[in-house]
Amino acid sequence: MNMVADLALPPLATIGAPLSTVSTPALLLDLDAFEANVSAMATMASKAGVALRPHAKAHKSSAISQYQIGAGAVGICCQKLTEAYPFVRAGIDNIHISNEFVGADKVEMAIHLARHVALSICVDHVAQVHAVGQAATAAGVRIGVFPEVDIGQGRCGVESEDALAALVDAIAQYDGLKFRGLQAYHGGIQHVAGWHARRDAAAQSADKAAAYVRFLEARGVRCPVVTGAGTGTAEFDAFSGVFTELQPGSYIFLDGHYGSSEWIGTHKPRHGLFIAATIMSSAKPGKLVCDVGLKGVAVDSGLPRVHGTADLHCSAVNDEHAMLKTSVTQDRLGERLLLIPGHCDPTCNLYDQFVCFRGGIVEDIWAIDARGLSQ
Amino acid sequence: MNMVADLALPPLATIGAPLSTVSTPALLLDLDAFEANVSAMATMASKAGVALRPHAKAHKSSAISQYQIGAGAVGICCQKLTEAYPFVRAGIDNIHISNEFVGADKVEMAIHLARHVALSICVDHVAQVHAVGQAATAAGVRIGVFPEVDIGQGRCGVESEDALAALVDAIAQYDGLKFRGLQAYHGGIQHVAGWHARRDAAAQSADKAAAYVRFLEARGVRCPVVTGAGTGTAEFDAFSGVFTELQPGSYIFLDGHYGSSEWIGTHKPRHGLFIAATIMSSAKPGKLVCDVGLKGVAVDSGLPRVHGTADLHCSAVNDEHAMLKTSVTQDRLGERLLLIPGHCDPTCNLYDQFVCFRGGIVEDIWAIDARGLSQ
């Protein structure tokens, strides 16, 4: 009964060991698929002549962002200010906060970050501009600012030329701010399943963004950057002539929702994200229970799919259990499974590590160092 | 651009400061409600003459378990082996793993834990008994074992007397194991909304547990402990004459789902769990966006409710945003809100800290030290 204060957890995985030795549940990253996906997106952006600024909210791991920057990305997006800190610590020096924020604590973080890296932010209300503008000017830092325009999502972003003009005018009042261009993102159309329908939706949204660019140009304000696009529309937005920068996140490993979309263009990302699971109860005929629950897989975009086997289907997910139905009558207690999560972003945010594998062997372990940083 | 490797996050909250200064999103624990709920359950268990072994899977915080034990709990339940480690480190020496597990890594953890604390586990397959029995006997430790009987949930647990007898016989083969009684839990009936219907469902499940106890007694096997019950059925199970030990978890703070149940008995838990949020975009008439998304609130049991205001309703939750509808036309940018999450367990598992408050002031910060430990 001694030294319980030092009781150490066993390692989740051992580098060099077979995947079958990883303790379950664990979040697995298929490095072959990941590297192919990173390379394909970088190549496409390069061909299109647009910048690639991948979103870190999908994976929350500075190791992944570093790999993307090594493959040609100009910097990263974060969705929250605290989320940016681990990336700054890892040496990433160009960060766009692709989201609005309010509050003295948040403004202080933005100033803090801007002392260390090239920082840009989004605004959709003049009060946000004034709060950051006063603080940045007083602190002697300069923060890039992107007014967000709503191109169809109906969430954040202004939806009138007057409101956009008011933001641009407000930004111009402050030495500590610099107008950089427009943030224009429509999350909803990323998940339109049909390729042609997705292409048409992307074109409509790009047209809305273009109209705002023309409006500002007519007022003598040039937009050096129009930043947006996600995994679903990147292949269209890259060649739209409107966007100058792409922000996709999930393309590095997909998820069940994106995986079920139609991909018939040149852009064909591969599944690279899995959850290792173990069947831990087989007490009922035709039912199996595995050891991954709501604390190991997000279900907001559907239940997880069992990978590589046609006879197991997930029917429900509880806190620590996933219920599986099967037509196979043999006892499968202890069998290991790979699950594909329905939605990658909130699933990655449940784990502290990616167990990276290649050819069935654990090759590396990458920290999900921005996990839980949501302020 | 120096010393970025040391860049420190600002504190989430400051002890002694008003709640309005806490950085959002943050998970808040109302200490008055928490203490009243802990006391009421302990009093009820004591009156009924049953043991209280609260479940730690709901909160994953050793500070909370220590408080519960100080108020009379005999020990705690964990649902996973890794989950138990922070509680052991905090000095809690009596832990029941109320769930099955499979695999050499898991068996090794059970042996490791049993060297330091009084450990009991659940089984529903003889292979689980043999794996732990051989290892425990070889290691010279003794682990308490509870066969799980299915009393209606249809998840884990045996559903026949023969299967139960096989488990009891297998346990008896090992010096390293000790039969302790039965695990009998029905998660589904915890959330029956109507009080009378919940009472009747609890009685039916208790009857099933009692039948298994009588079956074993007729074979000469006494069940010293029948452990089960949750927040929804504890007030019935306590006085059932069947259960000797209660395992409720969520009773300490409830959630939206439990809060919408009918509570007309003597047991009336109070809401004590909130998420502090800020309205960070108000660019659309009638719509507001706050800064809590899927990474800050679990939505498997429904969208969060806005506390203390009748004119704001959550209509959707995205990764980092909750959409709110309102009939109030004034600009509410920057307004702070309290949300009640639909489901407490997976929501707590998203955060690293409870910001504990009383009377509008931050009184303490408790680590959620088992967050993410799901193996």
Side-chain angles (χ1 to χ4, degrees), chain B residues 142-209:
Chain B
R142 198 153 205 213
I143 296 177
V145 185
F146 288 83
E148 180 170 5
V149 292
D150 186 347
I151 56 171
Q153 179 151 29
R155 190 171 67 187
C156 302
V158 298
E159 51 181 3
S160 78
E161 293 176 344
D162 285 352
L164 175 58
L167 291 172
V168 172
D169 291 347
I171 293 164
Q173 294 173 31
Y174 295 99
D175 287 341
L177 303 181
K178 182 175 173 58
F179 172 76
R180 293 280 313 282
L182 298 180
Q183 163 83 18
Y185 177 68
H186 188 338
I189 60 174
Q190 304 305 319
H191 295 278
V192 171
W195 187 88
H196 291 94
R198 198 161 71 245
R199 180 195 63 187
D200 296 348
Q204 280 184 18
S205 286
D207 284 349
K208 288 183 187 164

Side-chain angles (χ1 to χ4, degrees), chain A residues 329-363:
Chain A
T329 53
Q330 78 193 74
D331 189 348
R332 300 172 77 164
L333 188 78
E335 186 174 318
R336 294 174 66 96
L337 307 173
L338 294 182
L339 306 183
I340 295 178
H343 191 178
C344 55
D345 301 51
T347 296
C348 291
N349 189 52
L350 297 169
Y351 290 88
D352 292 308
Q353 296 171 317
F354 288 107
V355 177
C356 307
F357 72 98
R358 199 186 313 263
I361 302 293
V362 177
E363 183 168 307

Side-chain angles (χ1 to χ4, degrees), chain A residues 1 7 23-25 57 80 89 99 105-106 116 124-125 150 157 281 284 291 295 319 321 331 375, chain B residues 1 7 23-25 57 89 99 105-106 116 124-125 150 157 281 284 291 295 319 321 331 375:
Chain A
M1 301 272 176
L7 195 75
S23 205
T24 65
K57 79 183 193 66
K80 297 293 192 95
R89 282 198 289 264
N99 193 18
D105 56 325
K106 305 289 165 65
H116 297 91
D124 67 359
H125 194 295
D150 186 348
S281 176
K284 310 290 184 315
D291 59 352
K295 297 172 188 171
D319 284 352
H321 304 93
D331 189 348
Q375 291 74 36
Chain B
M1 299 271 176
L7 194 75
S23 205
T24 63
K57 80 183 193 69
R89 282 198 289 264
N99 193 19
D105 55 325
K106 304 290 165 65
H116 297 92
D124 68 358
H125 195 296
D150 186 347
S281 177
K284 310 289 184 317
D291 61 352
K295 297 171 187 170
D319 285 353
H321 305 93
D331 189 348
Q375 291 74 36

Side-chain angles (χ1 to χ4, degrees), chain B residues 233-319:
Chain B
T233 63
E235 62 184 309
F236 312 117
D237 294 333
F239 299 95
S240 63
V242 178
F243 290 93
T244 69
E245 185 174 276
L246 309 179
Q247 302 182 353
S250 314
Y251 75 98
I252 58 172
F253 41 43
L254 295 185
D255 55 26
H257 210 212
Y258 270 126
S260 65
S261 288
E262 185 184 26
W263 300 96
I264 57 173
T266 51
H267 179 59
K268 289 194 174 74
R270 290 163 52 183
H271 271 303
L273 186 72
F274 302 93
I275 299 163
T278 301
I279 294 174
M280 39 67 77
S281 177
S282 60
K284 310 289 184 317
K287 285 185 185 177
L288 297 165
V289 187
C290 80
D291 61 352
V292 177
L294 295 169
K295 297 171 187 170
V297 63
V299 299
D300 57 279
S301 299
L303 298 177
R305 290 209 326 263
V306 185
H307 179 68
T309 169
D311 67 298
L312 280 175
H313 301 279
C314 182
S315 59
V317 178
N318 305 155
D319 285 353

Side-chain angles (χ1 to χ4, degrees), chain A residues 1-2 4-10 12 23-25 57 60 79-80 82-83 85 88-89 99-102 105-106 109 112-113 115-117 124-125 127-128 150 153-159 278-285 287 289 291 294-295 299-300 318-321 323 331 333-334 343 345-346 349-352 371-375, chain B residues 1-2 4-10 12 23-25 57 60 79-80 82-83 85 88-89 99-102 105-106 109 112-113 115-117 124-125 127-128 150 153-159 278-285 287 289 291 294-295 299-300 318-321 323 331 333-334 343 345-346 349-352 371-375:
Chain A
M1 301 272 176
N2 292 325
V4 291
D6 299 324
L7 195 75
L9 279 162
L12 180 70
S23 205
T24 65
K57 79 183 193 66
K60 285 183 170 269
Q79 199 75 329
K80 297 293 192 95
T82 56
E83 188 177 70
Y85 278 66
V88 176
R89 282 198 289 264
N99 193 18
E100 289 74 15
F101 56 86
V102 174
D105 56 325
K106 305 289 165 65
M109 280 193 246
H112 191 201
L113 290 168
R115 290 190 199 280
H116 297 91
V117 301
D124 67 359
H125 194 295
Q128 296 154 351
D150 186 348
Q153 179 151 27
R155 190 172 67 189
C156 302
V158 298
E159 52 182 2
T278 302
I279 295 174
M280 40 68 76
S281 176
S282 60
K284 310 290 184 315
K287 287 185 185 176
V289 187
D291 59 352
L294 295 169
K295 297 172 188 171
V299 298
D300 58 279
N318 304 155
D319 284 352
E320 283 89 5
H321 304 93
M323 304 295 303
D331 189 348
L333 188 78
H343 191 178
D345 301 51
N349 189 52
L350 297 169
Y351 290 88
D352 292 308
R371 194 223 67 76
L373 298 178
S374 295
Q375 291 74 36
Chain B
M1 299 271 176
N2 293 323
V4 291
D6 299 324
L7 194 75
L9 280 162
L12 180 71
S23 205
T24 63
K57 80 183 193 69
K60 284 183 170 272
Q79 198 75 329
K80 297 294 192 98
T82 57
E83 187 177 73
Y85 278 66
V88 175
R89 282 198 289 264
N99 193 19
E100 289 74 15
F101 56 86
V102 174
D105 55 325
K106 304 290 165 65
M109 280 192 247
H112 191 199
L113 290 168
R115 290 189 198 281
H116 297 92
V117 301
D124 68 358
H125 195 296
Q128 296 154 351
D150 186 347
Q153 179 151 29
R155 190 171 67 187
C156 302
V158 298
E159 51 181 3
T278 301
I279 294 174
M280 39 67 77
S281 177
S282 60
K284 310 289 184 317
K287 285 185 185 177
V289 187
D291 61 352
L294 295 169
K295 297 171 187 170
V299 299
D300 57 279
N318 305 155
D319 285 353
E320 284 88 6
H321 305 93
M323 304 295 303
D331 189 348
L333 188 77
H343 190 178
D345 301 51
N349 188 53
L350 297 169
Y351 290 88
D352 292 308
R371 194 222 66 77
L373 298 178
S374 294
Q375 291 74 36

Side-chain angles (χ1 to χ4, degrees), chain B residues 49-64:
Chain B
V50 297
L52 176 59
R53 180 184 290 278
H55 217 304
K57 80 183 193 69
H59 55 77
K60 284 183 170 272
S61 169
S62 58
I64 286 182

